[in-house]
Amino acid sequence: MAKGLFITFEGTEGCGKSTQIELLARQLRAISHRVRALREPGGTPIGEEIRHTLKHSPNNAAMTAEAELLMMNASRAQIVREIIRPALAAGEIVLCDRFYDSTIAYQGFGRELDLEKVKSVIEFAVGGTKPDLTLFLHVPADVSAERLRSRQSTLPFVRDRIEEADRKFFERVAHGYGVIAASEPQRVKFINGAQAVDAVCKTIWEIVQSRLPKVGRW
Ligand code: Z5A
C-alpha cells in the first residue's frame, strides 16, 4: 500500500511545536510534497468538541485523570481513522502537533496513572498507527514559562484546565519526555528547542530530509 510519512511534534508548553510545524509544512510544500498539519487533542469536528471539554469548558473542573486519559484517546481514535490513515495511504506527509507520547508524558507521568494501563488505552486508540518520526523539542521550564507569559500578554485570557496543574505536575511531564526520548532513540529525536527559531528549523530540516518519501510515489 502507498505510504506517506507520519511526523509528530512533542514537548512541554511553549516549546515551539506550532511555530516549527508551520515552517516545516512550508518547506515541504515548496518541494511539492502534500502536507497535512494536525493537532491533538482535536483535528476533527468530534475531536475539537472533545478538546473544548478537556481544556476550556466551564463544566470541566471535576474531570478525573481517568476521564482525561479516555477523552484524549477518544479524540485520537477519531483523527487516526478519519484523517491520518487516509492521508498516509494517499502518500501525504502528516505533521501532528502532539500524539500518544503526550499521553504517556501528561497522563502517565504527570497524572501518575498506571503506565501499562495508559499504554493499553493508547494501543486501542491507535490500532497500530504509529509515528515514523517524532521531534521532541526540549526547552527548560523557565524558557517555557517565559514564552507562555509573553504570548499571554498579547492575547485575551482563555482559561485552560490543564495549564492549571501545579509545578510538580509539569516537572513530572518533563521527566516523562526524557524517559520516552531515551527509550526510543531511533524514532524520537531530541532537539534543543531553546535555540533561535531559525536554528531549530534548520536542525529539523536536516533530520526530516533524510526520511522523505519520493514526491509522486503512489
Ligand atoms: N495533552 C495531554 O495532556 N495529553 C495528550 O494526549 C495530548 C495533549 C495530545 C494541548 O494544549 C494540551 O493538551 C497540552 C498537553 C495536553 N497541555 N498543556 N498544558 P495546546 O494544544 O493548547 O498547547 P500546547 O500543545 O501545549 O502548545 P503551545 O503552548 O501552543 O506551544 P507550542 O505550539 O509548542 O509553541 P508555539 O506556539 O510555537 O510557541 C510558543 C511561543 O513561543 C510563541 O509566542 C512563539 O512565537 C514563541 N517561540 C516559538 N519558538 C521560539 C523560539 N525558538 N525562540 C523564541 N520564541 C519562540
Side-chain angles (χ1 to χ4, degrees):
M1 186 171 71
K3 194 176 176 306
L5 185 69
F6 184 20
I7 305 176
T8 58
F9 288 70
E10 294 284 356
T12 52
E13 302 59 47
C15 66
K17 296 178 279 75
S18 319
T19 303
Q20 294 300 329
I21 286 173
E22 201 181 317
L23 292 171
L24 180 59
R26 207 179 299 156
Q27 286 172 297
L28 290 168
R29 287 181 181 126
I31 55 169
S32 301
H33 285 285
R34 285 171 303 145
V35 178
R36 197 72 71 106
L38 304 170
R39 71 171 178 185
E40 272 208 346
T44 63
I46 290 169
E48 289 298 320
E49 288 194 13
I50 295 172
R51 179 183 175 91
H52 174 75
T53 304
L54 280 162
K55 285 166 64 82
H56 308 303
S57 164
N59 303 315
N60 70 12
M63 188 179 295
T64 65
E66 290 80 2
E68 182 179 89
L69 169 69
L70 293 169
M71 290 177 82
M72 291 290 178
N73 283 280
S75 171
R76 179 163 304 133
Q78 190 66 31
I79 199 172
V80 161
R81 289 157 185 82
E82 185 176 331
I83 299 187
I84 296 177
R85 286 184 191 165
L88 293 174
E92 294 185 29
I93 299 180
V94 175
L95 307 180
C96 198
D97 190 336
R98 299 191 179 279
F99 198 56
Y100 61 61
D101 294 311
S102 286
T103 305
I104 296 172
Y106 283 80
Q107 282 67 53
F109 285 86
R111 301 284 189 221
E112 300 182 294
L113 292 177
D114 180 278
L115 275 179
E116 289 313 309
K117 287 190 178 135
V118 168
K119 286 178 188 170
S120 85
V121 172
I122 290 171
E123 285 290 332
F124 183 63
V126 303
T129 299
K130 302 200 165 149
D132 299 300
L133 173 67
T134 296
L135 302 168
F136 167 40
L137 305 189
H138 176 264
V139 291
D142 57 332
V143 172
S144 169
E146 180 46 40
R147 285 186 190 172
L148 294 184
R149 246 194 315 277
S150 70
R151 186 174 62 184
Q152 275 155 10
S153 67
T154 65
L155 298 171
F157 175 75
V158 183
R159 176 186 161 270
D160 183 330
R161 186 187 57 84
I162 301 172
E163 286 177 9
E164 288 168 355
D166 62 19
R167 191 172 54 84
K168 291 264 176 232
F169 169 82
F170 289 104
E171 286 172 4
R172 290 193 297 274
V173 170
H175 168 69
Y177 271 124
V179 172
I180 294 165
S183 67
E184 278 190 78
Q186 278 306 314
R187 174 178 67 88
V188 184
K189 299 299 172 196
F190 181 100
I191 292 165
N192 176 5
Q195 303 171 91
V197 170
D198 287 355
V200 179
C201 179
K202 187 164 173 285
T203 306
I204 288 177
W205 188 237
E206 281 161 9
I207 296 169
V208 169
Q209 261 182 326
S210 64
R211 313 249 186 153
L212 289 178
K214 289 200 177 67
V215 173
R217 191 181 79 176
W218 300 104

